[in-house]
Amino acid sequence: MIVAEGKPLEEVYALIAEAKKVLVVGCGGCVTVCLAGGEKEVGLLAASLRMKRKLADRPLETVEVTLTRQCDPEYVEQLDRYVTEEIDAIVSLACGVGVQFLAERYPKWVVPALNTKFAGGTLAPGRWEERCGLCGECILHRTGGICPIIRCAKSILNGPCGGSQNGKCEVNKEIDCAWQLIYDRMRLLGRLDDLLTIEPAKDWSKAKDGGLRKVLREEAILA
Amino acid sequence: MSGPTTESKLEKLLREGKFVVTAEIGPPKHASAEGIRRHAALLKDWVDAVNITDNQTAIVRLSSLAAGVHCLQMGVEPILQMTVRDRNRIALQSDLLGAYSLGIRNVLCLSGDHQSFGNHPTARNVFDIDSIQLIAMVKKMRDEKQFLCGEEIKEHEPRFFIGAVANPFADPFEFRVLRLEKKINAGAQFIQTQCIFDLERFDRWMAMVRERGLHKRAAILAGVTPLKSVGAARYMQQAVSGMIVPDDLIARLKKAADAKAEGVEICVEQIKYLRTVEGVAGIHIMAVMWEEIVPTILEKAGLRSRT
Ligand code: SF4
Ligand code: SF4
């Protein structure tokens, strides 16, 4: 899933300083799972913004809606009836994709309430970690199921670098060295020899470096 | 040593079987070459080639290519360090062509310290290719006369003597020699090691190197660093990634009446020992911020002036 984290209240507060009435929109997808932008967080943010504005003697009106997903026009459309004339700003608690989908549909001041962090998963309640760098051409079958692109601080494809010590990355003792993990796992699988093959330079044109990426699936396209 | 010969003097000496000495010059954080020239003059008669670091520890410094040219002008053969942290394959190949056109003949391929260690921790890193892929690319340009993309270099291909680094003190220890082998398979012809303080671990590593015959395929230059003070030793032990400084070395420095002299003594002992290790083809002495001590150490170690 996409893991995101709420921006500081102060920051969101400043983003809508001019508004009198705002639409606060949550998303029922990834950001609900990572406790950043679901119905609960929408309620909390809206209440905090109202409270802060009240203390500043400039009351704020909020309308709160949480869509099933903000990255899908089918659901975004459901907002139409809430986006009225008086709405001065839309605060989106989705990942960056959702924010853009709202901005694309409505000629309103749309602001992000979250910082979108990474593609990752839940390690334990309240703990999420990055797993995929969205490189566009997965090589996990060559690295024991551990991604060196995003889990190695230098995206080394023929690691580990000389900074790996005691299983930790040179960048931070709190981070496992991805290449130590790869080594351990390949050894466990009896495939250490695979690591002797030189992995050639990667084709980054498949990643974000190639410009905007699209996926088309013929059979799903409506005639 | 495998690979075709180049115009590198370092390569020539190694092929002749001479025990070589290389040192290191770190370019300054300003735009004057005076210090580089002074250090080059100081080292000229003592070493066979000098590494020019590439924005070491991710701190902005005068470019290694420019510093390498200053060294050449002083009559010192430079080893151009190239990290893959700051340049993509386009910039790296361009700089390789430029460096060769300016007379540089040795290149050392590295990953580079992560930018979080340096003075621009908010910088974006590149890491388009890794150090092993860089080695392969330099070799491809030389031996296949091709750019990385496969396009032919019609004439004047850069012909570098290719170096790489190895760190016997990083983990996983058992994989270190295999990764070195990968570097040699990719095209590395000389190897400079991380600073050696833990001789016992280095011996174990060298034994594995010999077992796989790697010392015959690439020249291994053992890295040493004189410790200037207890503080410097502590810093190396705790703050420099991938380094092992044994506690008894620090204790020895502490006990000494003159820590500097003791640091020199330790380094001389290490060099004398390393010279006797089978498969060690030379010494790489990294006296960071203490370049002026290099001649003293080499003299005491019996590696007399080259002139
Ligand atoms: S190799 Fe690419 S696609 Fe696969 S996990 Fe890593 S970044 Fe994601
Ligand atoms: S220590 Fe490991 S994870 Fe960190 S940069 Fe080096 S190889 Fe990558």
Side-chain angles (χ1 to χ4, degrees), chain A residues 131-140 146-150 202:
Chain A
R131 282 294 181 270
C132 173
L134 312 173
C135 77
E137 193 170 48
C138 196
I139 57 160
L140 284 174
I146 291 148
C147 174
I149 311 258
I150 205 67
K202 195 167 169 64

Side-chain angles (χ1 to χ4, degrees), chain A residues 17-34:
Chain A
E18 314 291 320
K20 292 201 182 69
K21 183 170 180 179
V22 298
L23 182 59
V24 185
V25 191
C27 177
C30 312
V31 293
T32 291
V33 182
C34 68

Side-chain angles (χ1 to χ4, degrees), chain A residues 157-193:
Chain A
L157 295 181
N158 297 282
C161 78
S164 173
Q165 250 181 349
N166 306 315
K168 298 299 172 188
C169 173
E170 72 169 32
V171 169
N172 185 333
K173 298 268 172 293
E174 305 292 307
I175 306 172
D176 290 332
C177 167
W179 274 98
Q180 173 78 51
L181 298 177
I182 293 171
Y183 172 80
D184 291 344
R185 191 157 156 81
M186 291 300 255
R187 195 174 55 172
L188 183 86
L189 298 175
R191 306 190 70 136
L192 268 187
D193 282 353

Side-chain angles (χ1 to χ4, degrees), chain B residues 60-301:
Chain B
V60 176
R61 293 170 181 281
L62 190 144
S63 88
S64 55
L65 208 173
V69 174
H70 290 297
C71 278
L72 269 179
Q73 288 168 354
M74 295 300 292
V76 174
E77 174 152 299
I79 298 168
L80 181 70
Q81 294 200 182
M82 259 195 169
T83 73
V84 294
R85 178 192 58 226
D86 311 319
R87 283 169 288 185
N88 67 7
R89 61 190 78 178
I90 301 172
L92 288 165
Q93 290 177 100
S94 165
D95 280 351
L96 284 165
L97 297 180
Y100 197 81
S101 79
L102 287 162
I104 292 170
R105 296 294 177 260
N106 310 294
V107 63
L108 188 81
C109 306
L110 314 121
S111 306
D113 298 308
H114 192 265
Q115 73 276 9
S116 58
F117 292 102
N119 60 357
H120 290 74
T122 57
R124 184 161 216 185
N125 60 37
V126 179
F127 298 118
D128 172 20
I129 58 176
D130 66 24
S131 61
I132 292 184
Q133 292 161 352
L134 174 60
I135 295 166
M137 185 171 83
V138 182
K139 181 177 160 68
K140 184 173 186 170
M141 292 172 87
R142 182 190 68 196
D143 298 352
E144 291 169 44
K145 299 187 191 169
Q146 275 177 14
F147 292 107
L148 182 62
C149 62
E151 189 186 317
E152 187 196 354
I153 304 175
K154 293 212 176 71
E155 51 182 349
H156 305 300
E157 78 282 4
R159 302 187 55 76
F160 286 103
F161 182 43
I162 307 169
V165 292
N167 186 359
F169 310 103
D171 292 318
F173 180 66
E174 323 77 61
F175 191 61
R176 284 291 142 193
V177 173
L178 298 183
R179 187 159 186 262
L180 170 64
E181 186 163 340
K182 260 179 113 166
K183 289 188 172 185
I184 295 171
N185 289 344
Q189 298 167 288
F190 71 99
I191 304 295
Q192 291 173 324
T193 77
Q194 173 68 291
C195 318
I196 301 160
F197 295 107
D198 184 344
L199 291 169
E200 185 269 331
R201 178 150 163 162
F202 178 73
D203 278 338
R204 275 195 286 142
W205 181 81
M206 259 327 276
M208 289 163 76
V209 166
R210 286 192 301 267
E211 204 177 297
R212 296 188 79 91
L214 302 182
H215 61 305
K216 296 201 172 112
R217 297 178 54 205
I220 313 280
L221 312 188
V224 294
T225 286
L227 296 167
K228 205 173 181 177
S229 62
V230 177
R234 277 265 153 71
Y235 173 78
M236 292 265 218
Q237 189 183 46
Q238 285 153 15
V240 181
S241 61
M243 192 91 88
I244 296 181
V245 183
D247 287 329
D248 53 343
L249 262 191
I250 296 184
R252 194 175 146 187
L253 280 176
K254 250 193 202 156
K255 245 191 282 150
D258 182 348
K260 269 190 185 181
E262 191 69 8
V264 168
E265 200 42 54
I266 292 171
C267 190
V268 168
E269 285 171 22
Q270 287 167 342
I271 294 175
K272 283 185 176 162
Y273 175 74
L274 291 167
R275 270 193 88 165
T276 67
V277 176
E278 188 197 339
V280 171
I283 289 288
H284 176 53
I285 173 162
M286 293 164 271
V288 189
M289 311 284 284
W290 201 15
E291 286 86 351
E292 62 279 7
I293 200 67
V294 172
T296 311
I297 292 171
L298 292 174
E299 171 100 76
K300 282 184 188 245

Side-chain angles (χ1 to χ4, degrees), chain A residues 4-205:
Chain A
E5 195 173 45
K7 282 183 179 287
L9 179 63
E10 278 300 326
E11 193 181 334
V12 182
Y13 180 78
L15 294 177
I16 53 155
E18 314 291 320
K20 292 201 182 69
K21 183 170 180 179
V22 298
L23 182 59
V24 185
V25 191
C27 177
C30 312
V31 293
T32 291
V33 182
C34 68
L35 311 178
E39 201 168 353
K40 199 172 123 228
E41 290 76 27
V42 166
L44 238 133
L45 177 65
S48 311
L49 289 170
R50 284 196 310 267
M51 182 96 76
K52 222 170 141 53
R53 285 284 285 267
K54 197 169 172 198
L55 290 174
D57 229 9
R58 286 190 306 116
L60 174 77
E61 219 186 308
T62 60
V63 180
E64 297 149 41
V65 190
T66 296
L67 302 176
T68 305
R69 281 199 298 278
Q70 284 189 38
C71 57
D72 206 328
E74 186 185 333
Y75 301 110
V76 176
E77 276 168 23
Q78 295 170 2
L79 265 191
D80 287 2
R81 61 198 183 94
Y82 298 98
V83 187
T84 54
E85 201 55 27
E86 317 88 81
I87 295 290
D88 305 308
I90 303 175
V91 178
S92 167
L93 281 86
C95 71
V97 180
V99 180
Q100 293 182 63
F101 269 51
L102 298 195
E104 281 164 30
R105 186 164 178 90
Y106 304 109
K108 294 278 184 186
W109 178 240
V110 180
V111 302
L114 306 185
N115 290 322
T116 305
K117 310 290 266 192
F118 51 76
T122 314
L123 294 185
R127 284 183 62 207
W128 297 272
E129 208 172 88
E130 188 164 27
R131 282 294 181 270
C132 173
L134 312 173
C135 77
E137 193 170 48
C138 196
I139 57 160
L140 284 174
H141 53 291
R142 294 206 289 274
T143 54
I146 291 148
C147 174
I149 311 258
I150 205 67
R151 295 178 74 176
C152 163
K154 300 177 187 170
S155 298
I156 295 173
L157 295 181
N158 297 282
C161 78
S164 173
Q165 250 181 349
N166 306 315
K168 298 299 172 188
C169 173
E170 72 169 32
V171 169
N172 185 333
K173 298 268 172 293
E174 305 292 307
I175 306 172
D176 290 332
C177 167
W179 274 98
Q180 173 78 51
L181 298 177
I182 293 171
Y183 172 80
D184 291 344
R185 191 157 156 81
M186 291 300 255
R187 195 174 55 172
L188 183 86
L189 298 175
R191 306 190 70 136
L192 268 187
D193 282 353
D194 290 9
L195 292 184
L196 283 179
T197 309
I198 296 171
E199 180 73 26
K202 195 167 169 64
D203 176 359
W204 293 111
S205 72

